[in-house]
Amino acid sequence: MEKVISHFDKHGKVFRDQLITVGDLIEFKDLLLSELKSILKDHVTGKTKKWLKAIEVRKVLNISHGKLQRLRDNGKIPFTMLGKVTYYDADKIEELMQSPMVIKY
């Protein structure tokens, strides 16, 4: 898709009545289909992001900011900080959810 967009960027402005060739449409179709296949493949295989931000973890675990902070402070949930942003390993969160243990916070 970026190729199509960059094609228009090189040639100047895009006008409403601009001519588009059949080749342009075929190229766009192929790019669109490949993007959709990639998205569907990731969805079917369950491929997710490697790192989650706090808001995403809170949604997954259905907990408040304070509870997540306590879990972090008590070492119950591993995390990594880059600057002021806290990241959580999605695989570790999934393991935590699959484990039969009860975590008190």
Side-chain angles (χ1 to χ4, degrees), residues 60-61 92-100:
V60 168
L61 299 178
K92 299 288 184 189
I93 299 298
E94 184 65 29
E95 287 174 19
L96 185 68
M97 291 177 62
Q98 298 298 328
S99 67

Side-chain angles (χ1 to χ4, degrees), residues 19-66:
L19 294 177
I20 298 175
T21 66
V22 173
D24 292 335
L25 291 174
I26 291 171
E27 182 181 353
F28 177 73
K29 177 196 73 151
D30 292 341
L31 289 169
L32 183 61
L33 286 174
S34 69
E35 290 283 328
L36 287 172
K37 285 179 186 176
S38 174
I39 291 169
L40 288 174
K41 180 181 166 189
D42 291 348
H43 182 70
V44 168
T45 60
K47 186 177 175 183
T48 58
K49 296 189 314 185
K50 172 70 176 154
W51 296 99
L52 302 173
K53 291 185 178 179
I55 188 79
E56 296 165 316
V57 174
R58 287 177 38 216
K59 285 181 183 178
V60 168
L61 299 178
N62 194 25
I63 59 176
S64 69
H65 173 74

Side-chain angles (χ1 to χ4, degrees), residues 76-87:
K76 304 291 184 183
I77 293 184
F79 64 96
T80 301
M81 289 194 75
L82 293 174
K84 294 183 179 182
V85 182
T86 306
Y87 293 97

